[in-house]
């Protein structure tokens, strides 16, 4: 695939700290921040924010829990402490660990569980009507008021039969301030608890939780608000203004003309646009759903035209609110554009919901990015604490092993062939881990690649919806990339991880995040042509410049790396490589440069397939393998390493001396000898290097004979009678010094 060239680099500079020093600095930084801000006002225009970029494995979550256990009491005098983690399961784990660190002064804590979360006391969902809640999400203002409990105009309580004693609703009734563990999703949702918030701690990346996309069919966008004869003058004025704004938005987005300038000229500035958003809500129709209704009756009312009108009105209100929010722009906001939905024109709004600004924050993330963090918290203090992973790290040098390549664009035969190569590498790694370390192997790939690998291996159930249910593959535990890998500790005792390919979101998804996150900046965004990435330069963990597919926009490159590069690094971090309990091996089957992972060696993919035990990269060792194998299938007894020798000893592989010369010059000094020794080891043969000189000449060349040293001289004399043997059984430490002329022809 050809790519346009784009030379902007992503600067990366990693300062490695000793793990003990990094942990000490982490604890000191957390304690300092908590001590300095225990009396911070609950609401401020400049809330204190600490961003900690901490290598996975240094114990950032544990350090934060210990700091809260030690210093959280002062915060609980003000309000709740919220500890956000990616999933409910991790919230349960964090809560249990917190109790262990609380010691004698146990601070009150709980896990905030959503409606469909499992109640540990009953083993069932927290809410009996959780499926109704899922259907109503985004369709009504308050799900609780619609299906659980509400107060009527005359002050009476109207509630469902299951509301009394409901464990989900009971969470609202806590009166004492708690340390509350909850998933990231609650950053964008109303909290089902009462009371002030004194501190928020967010563990792992959270920014995508605060972005969303609203698509409105252009035909629905253009529709006028339907009014009846009893409508007030204010409602009629709103309907008229709303129609005018929608017509202007449609025209400007269609013609790519300055939107906000047109709106201001027509008298629609921030105040007027926000009024339209607020008033639009008054046009929402009554869903006519009451908590006392049965599940079937409520389900029937959800699928009605009235509910569809509600959804459209909510979306319109969001667009008006977005226009009000961006009214200061001189031209267009990139967070509103014309797109296609189901082959029809649509208005698409890219919504960014700011996190609550009512308490201090601590952000904990191994992949924390400064530009993203400052987009939410410009005042944030950012501290990086990085420790070098301790492992033998090998990476493929020549292929990305993308989903497209491994599945071969639905070419089943080719996909199976490629997947079998990956499986052969996996077989070797599993056998090696068991043989050398009595250890386990973790395999990580995308869901699409895993399905192909399971199919190629003939293993059923490779398409499970839950990563916990994935069956082992060739003896390896299996997971896929994604948020559910974050924070996991269950693989820390594994000896080896094999990462296949990389998680690369579609360009459309990257640009959706780009518009939502950075669509209102002073600098115009750049969008990819034909929805394709381009070839650019990045800097790896060693500070070397390498090529990779990147997005043309600098912000989009950061967002891409947060999913792609960070996904691979987070998967690898599951083995906890900072101070491992034993030897660890990392095999990355993709040439994607990883900015925070120092690579020990880069090896071509086919070499890993054919020679998995060879840890030194070789230039197409397959040719040398064919060279020592005679046309009849038997092995040669020896071979010279000079171009003339390669041509004369293996004419079936090197038909001309020039062909042999071109091949030989790709090897570094001593490298071809080491390659021949490895091939001999594969065939369970001895391999002895001999140094030869042509009879009557002084130039020396190297050769390898496949016998033990005591027989090497005699065999070399038989194979090459025109040469005299100068040295045999040369120790490995001297071999490199004797073949400086190996790539030059003898007289």
């Amino acid at each position: 695939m050809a790519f346009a060239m784009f030379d902007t680099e992503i600067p990366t500079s990693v300062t490695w700290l000793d793990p003990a020093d990094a942990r000490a600095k982490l604890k000191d930084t957390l304690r300092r921040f908590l001590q300095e801000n225990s009396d911070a006002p609950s609401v401020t225009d400049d809330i204190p924010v600490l961003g900690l970029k901490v290598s996975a494995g240094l114990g950032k979550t544990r350090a934060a829990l210990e700091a809260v256990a030690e210093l959280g009491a002062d915060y609980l005098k003000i309000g709740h402490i919220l500890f956000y983690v990616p999933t409910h399961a991790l919230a349960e784990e964090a809560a249990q660990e917190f109790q262990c660190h609380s010691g004698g002064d146990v601070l009150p804590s709980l896990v905030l569980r959503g409606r469909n979360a499992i109640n540990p006391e009953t083993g069932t969902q927290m809410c009996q009507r959780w499926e109704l809640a899922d259907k109503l999400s985004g369709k009504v203002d308050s799900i609780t008021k619609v299906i659980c409990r509400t107060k009527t105009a005359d002050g009476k309580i109207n509630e469902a039969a299951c509301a009394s004693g409901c464990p989900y609703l009971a969470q609202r009734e806590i009166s004492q301030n708690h340390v509350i563990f909850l998933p990231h999703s609650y950053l964008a949702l109303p909290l089902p608890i009462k009371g002030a918030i004194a501190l928020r701690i967010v563990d792992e990346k959270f920014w995508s939780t605060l972005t969303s996309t609203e698509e409105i069919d252009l035909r629905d966008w253009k529709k006028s608000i339907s009014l009846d004869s009893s409508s007030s003058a204010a409602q009629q004025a709103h309907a008229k203004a709303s129609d005018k704004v929608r017509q202007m938005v449609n025209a400007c987005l269609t013609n790519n003309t300055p939107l906000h300038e047109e709106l201001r000229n027509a008298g629609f500035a921030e105040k007027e646009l926000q009024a339209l958003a607020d008033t639009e809500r008054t046009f929402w129709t009554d869903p006519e759903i009451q908590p006392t209704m049965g599940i079937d009756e409520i389900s029937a009312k959800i699928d009605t035209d009235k509910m569809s009108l509600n959804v459209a009105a909510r979306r319109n209100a969001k667009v008006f609110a977005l226009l009000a929010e961006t009214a200061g722009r001189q031209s267009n906001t990139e967070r509103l554009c014309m797109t296609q939905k189901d082959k029809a024109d649509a208005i698409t709004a890219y919504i960014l919901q700011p996190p609550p600004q009512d308490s201090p924050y601590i952000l904990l993330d191994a992949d924390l990015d400064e530009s993203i963090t400052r987009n939410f918290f410009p005042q944030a203090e950012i501290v990086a604490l990085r420790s070098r992973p301790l492992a033998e790290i090998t990476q493929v040098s020549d292929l990305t092993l993308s989903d497209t390549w491994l599945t071969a664009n639905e070419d089943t035969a080719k996909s199976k062939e490629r997947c079998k190569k990956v499986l052969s590498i996996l077989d070797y790694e599993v056998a090696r881990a068991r043989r050398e370390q009595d250890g386990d192997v973790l395999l990580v790939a995308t869901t699409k690649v895993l399905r192909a690998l399971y199919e190629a291996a003939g293993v059923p159930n490779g398409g499970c919806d839950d990563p916990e249910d994935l069956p082992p593959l060739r003896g390896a535990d299996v997971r896929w990339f994604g948020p559910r890998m974050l924070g996991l500790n269950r693989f820390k005792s594994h000896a080896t991880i094999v990462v296949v390919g990389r998680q690369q979101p579609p360009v459309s998804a990257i640009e959706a995040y780009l518009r939502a996150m950075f669509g209102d900046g002073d600098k115009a965004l750049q969008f990819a042509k034909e929805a394709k990435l381009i070839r650019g330069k990045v800097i790896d963990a060693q500070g070397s410049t390498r090529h990779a597919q990147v997005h043309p926009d600098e912000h989009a490159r950061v967002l891409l790396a947060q999913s792609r590069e960070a996904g691979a690094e987070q998967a690898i971090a599951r083995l906890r490589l900072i101070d491992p309990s034993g030897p660890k091996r990392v095999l990355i089957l993709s040439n994607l440069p990883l900015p925070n992972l120092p690579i020990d060696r880069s090896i071509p993919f086919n070499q890993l397939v054919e020679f998995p035990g060879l840890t030194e990269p070789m230039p197409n060792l397959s040719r040398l393998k064919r060279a020592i194998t005679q046309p009849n299938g038997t092995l040669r007894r020896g071979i010279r390493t000079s171009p003339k020798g390669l041509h004369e000893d293996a004419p079936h592989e090197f038909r001309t001396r020039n062909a042999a010369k071109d091949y030989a010059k790709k090897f570094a000094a001593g490298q071809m000898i080491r390659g021949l020794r490895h091939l001999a080891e594969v065939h369970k043969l001895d391999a002895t290097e001999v140094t030869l000189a042509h009879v009557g000449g002084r130039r020396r060349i190297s050769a390898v004979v496949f016998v033990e040293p005591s027989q090497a001289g005699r065999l070399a004399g038989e194979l090459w009678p025109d040469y005299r043997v100068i040295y045999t059984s040369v120790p490995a430490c001297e071999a490199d010094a004797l073949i400086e002329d190996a790539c030059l022809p003898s007289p």
Side-chain angles (χ1 to χ4, degrees):
M1 183 181 294
F3 298 98
M5 194 62 190
F6 191 84
D7 288 332
T8 300
E9 299 178 353
I10 300 175
T12 300
S13 177
V14 179
T15 300
W16 303 116
L17 299 174
D18 177 80
D21 291 341
R23 289 190 175 100
K25 290 182 178 179
L26 172 60
K27 291 179 180 179
D28 289 345
T29 304
L30 285 166
R31 293 184 80 256
R32 171 186 58 80
F33 181 85
L34 290 175
Q35 288 171 341
E36 290 177 353
N37 297 292
S38 60
D39 58 351
S42 58
V43 179
T44 175
D45 293 333
D46 196 21
I47 58 173
V49 178
L50 172 64
L52 286 167
K53 183 172 184 176
V54 182
S55 295
L58 280 175
K60 64 182 187 304
T61 303
R62 172 175 292 185
L65 292 172
E66 291 176 347
V68 170
E70 178 187 356
L71 301 170
D74 287 340
Y75 284 85
L76 291 182
K77 295 174 183 176
I78 302 171
H80 300 294
I81 297 174
L82 303 186
F83 202 111
Y84 297 87
V85 291
T87 65
H88 274 112
L90 288 174
E92 300 277 2
E93 291 182 17
Q96 292 174 9
E97 186 174 353
F98 178 70
Q99 290 299 321
C100 296
H101 296 310
S102 291
D105 298 327
V106 179
L107 301 181
S109 64
L110 62 85
V111 176
L112 184 63
R113 298 179 176 89
R115 295 177 185 274
N116 65 347
I118 299 299
N119 183 348
E121 295 182 4
T122 63
T124 58
Q125 273 78 14
M126 292 285 288
C127 171
Q128 292 185 25
R129 294 184 161 191
W130 67 272
E131 291 177 306
L132 284 179
D134 280 353
K135 291 180 181 180
L136 285 166
S137 178
K139 295 182 172 68
V140 295
D141 278 342
S142 171
I143 293 175
T144 297
K145 290 181 179 179
V146 172
I147 66 171
C148 301
R149 177 187 294 152
T150 189
K151 183 180 290 187
T152 62
D154 58 1
K156 295 181 179 179
I157 299 297
N158 197 2
E159 66 178 15
C162 57
S164 179
C166 172
Y168 173 77
L169 294 178
Q171 296 177 127
R172 298 171 178 267
E173 305 307 321
I174 59 171
S175 57
Q176 183 184 12
N177 290 331
H178 281 66
V179 180
I180 300 176
F181 297 89
L182 66 172
H184 285 172
S185 55
Y186 277 107
L187 282 165
L189 296 172
L191 287 171
I193 55 173
K194 298 176 181 178
I197 308 302
L199 174 68
R200 283 182 165 88
I201 301 174
V202 186
D203 197 3
E204 306 293 356
K205 62 174 61 64
F206 66 92
W207 54 267
S208 61
T209 303
L210 300 174
T211 65
S212 61
T213 301
E214 293 287 353
E215 291 182 311
I216 307 173
D217 189 299
L218 189 58
R219 292 164 294 189
D220 292 335
W221 175 253
K222 289 179 177 179
K223 285 180 182 176
S224 297
I225 296 175
S226 178
L227 298 176
D228 55 35
S229 57
S230 62
S231 299
S232 67
Q235 289 176 319
Q236 293 175 6
H238 167 81
K240 184 177 180 181
S242 174
D243 287 345
K244 186 173 182 179
V245 169
R246 282 184 283 173
Q247 291 169 7
M248 293 175 67
V249 168
N250 175 40
C252 289
L253 293 182
T254 301
N255 301 321
N256 195 28
T257 54
L259 171 58
H260 283 297
E261 182 179 336
E262 293 289 326
L263 290 173
R264 284 192 295 271
N265 290 340
F268 295 101
E270 179 180 359
K271 180 180 178 181
E272 290 75 20
L273 293 168
Q274 187 59 54
L276 287 177
D278 295 339
T279 309
E280 190 80 11
R281 298 172 183 273
T282 66
F283 285 87
W284 296 355
T285 56
D286 183 355
E288 298 178 348
I289 298 175
Q290 297 296 326
T292 52
M293 293 178 178
I295 291 177
D296 292 340
E297 187 178 3
I298 293 176
S299 296
K301 288 188 175 292
I302 292 175
D303 301 320
T304 61
D305 290 339
K306 280 189 175 183
M307 189 61 73
S308 297
L309 290 173
N310 264 13
V311 173
R314 290 174 67 85
R315 289 174 177 168
N316 287 350
K318 286 186 177 182
V319 174
F320 288 134
L322 173 58
L323 290 172
E325 179 187 339
T326 59
R329 296 273 293 170
Q330 295 302 310
S331 55
N332 292 345
T333 170
E334 300 287 8
R335 294 206 283 129
L336 194 66
C337 66
M338 192 76 75
T339 58
Q340 289 278 309
K341 179 184 180 183
D342 299 328
K343 298 182 179 181
D345 289 336
I347 299 287
T348 299
Y350 300 90
I351 309 298
L352 181 65
Q353 180 175 328
Q357 303 282 325
D358 56 0
S359 66
Y361 275 81
I362 296 176
L363 311 176
L364 305 167
D365 185 6
D367 313 306
L368 185 139
D369 177 77
E370 182 171 347
S371 62
I372 293 175
T373 301
R374 297 203 185 284
N375 198 40
F376 293 111
F377 305 107
Q379 76 279 21
E381 173 194 0
I382 297 177
V383 178
L385 300 170
R386 315 290 286 168
S387 288
R388 187 184 183 94
L390 300 178
E392 177 190 335
I393 304 175
T394 301
Q395 183 172 27
V396 164
S397 60
D398 55 346
L399 293 173
T400 62
L401 272 79
S402 66
D403 287 13
T404 302
W405 186 83
L406 278 167
T407 58
N409 282 326
E410 311 306 328
D411 184 332
T412 305
K414 187 176 289 187
S415 173
K416 197 168 186 178
E417 175 189 348
R418 292 173 176 174
C419 286
K420 283 187 173 180
K421 290 183 177 181
V422 173
L423 291 172
S424 71
I425 294 173
L426 183 63
D427 288 337
Y428 176 85
E429 294 299 332
V430 170
R432 173 177 173 164
R434 289 174 177 172
R435 179 180 68 250
E436 298 181 5
Q437 298 162 255
D438 191 25
D440 295 320
V441 175
L442 173 63
L443 171 69
V444 180
T446 64
T447 54
K448 188 174 183 180
V449 166
L450 288 178
R451 281 193 295 269
L453 290 173
Y454 277 115
E455 184 176 343
V459 177
N461 301 323
C464 297
D465 294 331
D466 190 336
E468 301 290 343
D469 296 332
L470 289 171
L473 185 60
R474 299 294 181 92
D477 294 318
V478 181
R479 295 298 291 247
W480 60 63
F481 291 115
R484 295 183 70 174
M485 285 290 286
L486 297 175
L488 290 179
N489 286 317
R490 70 192 62 176
F491 302 110
K492 62 183 179 181
S493 62
H494 281 50
T496 301
I497 183 171
V498 179
V499 178
V500 183
R502 72 281 195 273
Q503 175 181 256
Q504 182 161 298
V507 172
S508 59
I510 300 168
E511 293 187 345
Y513 285 132
L514 176 65
R515 288 180 181 275
M517 293 283 292
F518 299 105
D520 298 317
D522 295 330
K523 187 177 180 181
L525 302 180
Q526 298 183 62
F527 299 102
K529 296 179 179 179
E530 299 179 1
K532 291 181 179 180
L533 298 178
I534 60 176
R535 190 167 184 255
K537 294 179 181 178
V538 298
I539 299 177
D540 62 19
Q542 284 92 338
S544 301
T545 300
R546 293 174 58 185
H547 288 112
Q549 295 180 51
V550 300
H551 193 279
D553 188 273
E554 59 182 340
H555 290 308
R557 288 197 295 277
V558 170
L559 297 170
L560 172 60
Q562 287 278 298
S563 174
R564 187 178 64 179
E565 284 86 336
E569 291 176 353
Q570 283 282 0
I572 292 165
R574 295 315 100 207
L575 266 63
R576 298 310 191 201
L577 304 178
I578 299 303
D579 45 6
S581 56
K584 301 282 186 175
R585 176 170 164 80
V586 177
L587 184 58
I588 307 166
L589 300 185
S590 172
N591 63 355
L592 173 69
L594 299 177
N596 299 304
L597 199 72
I599 306 301
D600 295 311
R601 61 185 64 88
S602 298
I603 297 178
F605 176 69
N606 282 332
Q607 179 182 315
L608 278 174
V609 175
E610 291 191 66
F611 316 104
L614 182 60
T615 58
E616 178 183 2
M618 292 280 177
N620 195 0
L621 198 61
S622 298
R623 295 199 69 181
L624 208 56
K625 179 182 178 181
R626 293 193 296 268
I628 66 172
T629 306
Q630 300 187 102
N632 63 4
T634 61
L635 294 177
R636 291 191 58 82
R637 294 184 296 166
I639 190 168
R640 290 168 287 174
T641 61
S642 67
K644 177 183 178 182
L646 290 172
H647 167 55
E648 292 180 350
D649 293 343
H652 61 288
E653 180 62 32
F654 302 105
R655 298 183 183 277
T656 67
R657 185 167 167 173
N658 281 339
K661 184 177 181 180
D662 289 342
Y663 178 68
K665 69 183 181 182
K666 297 176 182 178
F667 286 82
Q671 193 177 40
M672 191 182 297
I673 299 296
R674 294 193 293 274
L676 288 166
R677 284 175 175 155
H678 179 78
L679 292 174
E681 183 181 343
V682 170
H683 290 288
K684 296 181 172 54
L685 296 174
D686 290 310
T688 304
E689 181 189 3
V690 295
T691 303
L692 307 173
H694 198 276
V695 174
R698 291 184 298 176
R699 179 170 292 177
R700 298 174 178 181
I701 65 169
S702 288
V704 171
V705 287
F706 301 117
V707 293
E708 61 184 30
S710 62
Q711 303 177 39
R714 179 188 57 78
L715 179 56
E718 292 178 9
L719 293 175
W720 305 293
D722 293 340
Y723 288 81
R724 53 194 173 92
V725 178
I726 306 300
Y727 298 113
T728 62
S729 303
V730 179
C733 60
E734 298 178 20
D736 291 351
L738 295 175
I739 59 169
E740 62 270 15
D741 296 326
C743 294
L744 299 175
S746 59

